[in-house]
Amino acid sequence: MTLMAIREIITVPNPLLKQISKPVDKVDDALRALMDDMLETMYDAPGIGLAAIQIGEPVRVIVMDLQEKPEGAAEDAEPVKNPRYFVNPEIIWKSEDTLPYEEGCLSIPEIYDEVQRPAHVKIRYLNYQGEQVEEEAKGLYAVCIQHEMDHLEGVLFIDHLSKLKRDRAVTKVKKLTRAA
Ligand code: ZN
């Protein structure tokens, strides 16, 4: 059994969130321990995606679990756990057509707004075992991987909004985190 730890998620306007994350040299046990902690932290929050920089680690690592229900499942069925791990992810193709989606972010609690992103992307990354994978992502998967990959460049979903909305979001989160 591995012991996992729930880490603190940093929030705006922490300047670390603006930092560009560094590529990973090697997928080893230390990196897998980080990914385990990230997944635990994400489930606890709860959220569907987390980039390492959100727990203050500036490396190109993302965890995700869209927690979708199985095909044809009943309304009240429990979502199935499907953790995904992405090391050094790259977008190798993106569609012209875009998908609007109301996004949120664990580093910007209680703020939701619509962002337009390519509806369909092809990605390349190393998985939990360090194997290279190429995959197509559509729908929520495409939205989430692009949102998380933005974090690796120091970009937040509110950076896609107007300056007015962005400033308002940061002010709200500051108040919220001060009150906590
Ligand atoms: Zn985020």
Side-chain angles (χ1 to χ4, degrees), residues 54 104-107 147-148 151:
Q54 294 181 273
C105 180
L106 294 176
S107 293
H147 172 119
E148 298 309 328
H151 277 298

Side-chain angles (χ1 to χ4, degrees), residues 45-56:
I48 59 169
L50 188 76
I53 193 65
Q54 294 181 273
I55 57 164

Side-chain angles (χ1 to χ4, degrees), residues 1-2 5 11 30 55-56 67 80 82 87 96 101 114 116 131 139 143 153 156 161 165 167 171 174:
M1 194 185 108
T2 21
T11 55
I55 57 164
Q67 301 180 40
V80 174
N82 179 24
V87 178
E96 298 272 318
Y101 197 91
E114 192 178 278
Q116 288 271 356
E131 300 152 346
V143 170
E153 306 304 326
L156 301 168
L161 308 176
K165 282 187 169 183
D167 291 348
T171 305
K174 267 195 202 161

